[in-house]
Each structure stands twice: as structure tokens, then as C-alpha cells.
Amino acid sequence: FPDSQVVAAWASLPFPVRCGLALPDILGARGQDVPWEPLSSCRDPKLGRCFAQSVVLRGIREESGGSRPGQPPASPLHACGVEETLQRYLHGAFPGAFSTCHVLEQPCPTLPPFPQFFSPLLSGRGFLLDKPPARSSAAVESVPVLAALQSAPVLHQLLWGLRRDARRLNTRRWASFFAAGVEQDDFQEALEELGTLAQCYQNGFRDEDDADSD
């Protein structure tokens, strides 16, 4: 994003893929929930609140995109490949946003020393099973992953909250606060620049935090 200075990171690790399901079915099962969880210190569970995003999907083979050979597609989306399916989903879920996507067939490797915190319903290749195996399986070797970097209105709340908390500091009570050579005027200027940056991510709404007077 050439005009963005801050982005929010999201990921689904592993991306929940059940054997036998096509990617349109997997994405459609999410309903109005976003298909990832926040990695940044911000939460915005609603779809469609995004200016621009770059999305990467790993570990989904082309045959998982939609229809099977010799079978009619269940929908127009099922007739598309993996990358086109993901691109169409992003355009529908985030209308008006500039979305780019990249698809890699290679899954994310998770062999030790990667922490094995996965559910017993996960196969060695990271796909969801209907029930746990009869015997304890070996370590999960790889998982499919869906990740995104977004320029979104939620960053307005994050940056404005950071500015608000920093302004509440009584720097006069901390003798070592400016020991690194930062001047009080420089500190105040940085706060103003942070407020200006926060406004760049506003999307026609006003939070209660915005009413915080100077």
C-alpha cells in the first residue's frame, strides 16, 4: 500500500479446510464472520470495513477451487480456480476495497520445533478430520494458512487510542522520561502527528475517543 503507513495483520492458522470441501464452500460457511483472527492489537469482526488489503492463501491445491472433473459446478464460483475464487470472495466481502491476493500451493511447514498446539482433529497435513484418529498421530507437518495485511478504519481507533493514552502521561512526574534527549516540544509535535495519522484512517464515523478534548 504506497499511501499507507500502518496496516493491521490478520491470519487463520491453520485455515480450517475439511477434506472433500471446495474453497467456495469453506469461505461461504463463514457467513458474516471474517475468515481470520487479528494479530494486531485491534479487533473489527465486521466484513466490509477495509480500504485496501493484500491476502495470501497457502496450502490449497488447485483442485480444491471448485468443481470436480466430469461434474457440473454447483455455482459460478465453483467453476473458478483457487485464486479467482479468493479474489471474488474478497470483492464480495469487502466491497469498494482494493484487494490483491496470492495463492501458494505449498503449505506452511510446522514440524518441530514449531509448537504442536493443534487440535487432535487436525491431520498431519493440517486438514480437519470428522473425528480424532483411533491412535495418537504424529506431529502436524504442515497447515494451510490464510493471512492478510489491511489498511482499514479500525486503525483509526488504534492510533487515536494510542495518542489519547500518551497525552494522559504527566511527563513532569517522570524525571527520566526525556533522558534520551527528546524535548517536550518534540513530544507534543509527535502527538499531533499521531492524531493527524489517525484521521487518515477515519471512515465517516466518530468514536467517543475522538471527543477527547485537547
Side-chain angles (χ1 to χ4, degrees):
F1 314 124
D3 298 328
S4 295
Q5 299 186 45
V6 183
V7 293
W10 311 78
S12 179
L13 192 161
F15 182 53
V17 178
R18 191 174 299 276
C19 294
L21 286 183
L23 183 59
D25 301 319
I26 298 169
L27 294 172
R30 304 290 303 185
Q32 293 300 310
D33 296 329
V34 291
W36 41 57
E37 297 295 331
L39 300 180
S40 307
S41 57
C42 55
R43 289 185 176 272
D44 188 7
K46 297 180 181 180
L47 287 174
R49 296 168 61 89
C50 174
F51 304 129
Q53 61 184 339
S54 178
V55 180
V56 176
L57 177 62
R58 295 186 59 172
I60 304 296
R61 297 187 178 277
E62 191 63 35
E63 56 265 25
S64 300
S67 61
R68 300 293 184 266
Q71 297 180 357
S75 71
L77 199 59
H78 283 77
C80 303
V82 172
E83 185 169 345
E84 186 177 357
T85 296
L86 180 58
Q87 189 72 55
R88 289 193 178 191
Y89 168 79
L90 295 175
H91 282 309
F94 300 89
F98 175 76
S99 300
T100 63
C101 68
H102 307 275
V103 173
L104 304 174
E105 287 196 2
Q106 297 81 5
C108 179
T110 55
L111 287 171
F114 194 96
Q116 293 294 308
F117 49 64
F118 302 108
S119 165
L121 289 176
L122 217 60
S123 72
R125 294 178 55 196
F127 294 100
L128 289 174
L129 303 172
D130 293 328
K131 58 182 180 179
R135 296 183 179 181
S136 178
S137 60
V140 176
E141 298 181 356
S142 63
V143 294
V145 177
L146 180 65
L149 294 176
Q150 287 187 343
S151 174
V154 68
L155 292 166
H156 168 73
Q157 305 168 31
L158 177 66
L159 295 171
W160 199 268
L162 177 61
R163 173 181 177 271
R164 177 200 60 213
D165 293 342
R167 287 177 57 209
R168 290 176 177 173
L169 290 174
N170 185 354
T171 55
R172 295 179 180 178
R173 297 181 58 184
W174 304 91
S176 60
F177 193 82
F178 297 101
V182 179
E183 299 293 338
Q184 178 69 31
D185 291 343
D186 295 334
F187 180 67
Q188 293 299 327
E189 182 179 353
L191 290 180
E192 293 305 316
E193 291 178 353
L194 186 59
T196 301
L197 180 61
Q199 295 299 330
C200 294
Y201 297 92
Q202 197 168 14
N203 189 27
F205 62 89
R206 184 175 179 83
D207 296 330
E208 294 180 0
D209 293 340
D210 295 352
D212 192 25
S213 63
D214 294 333

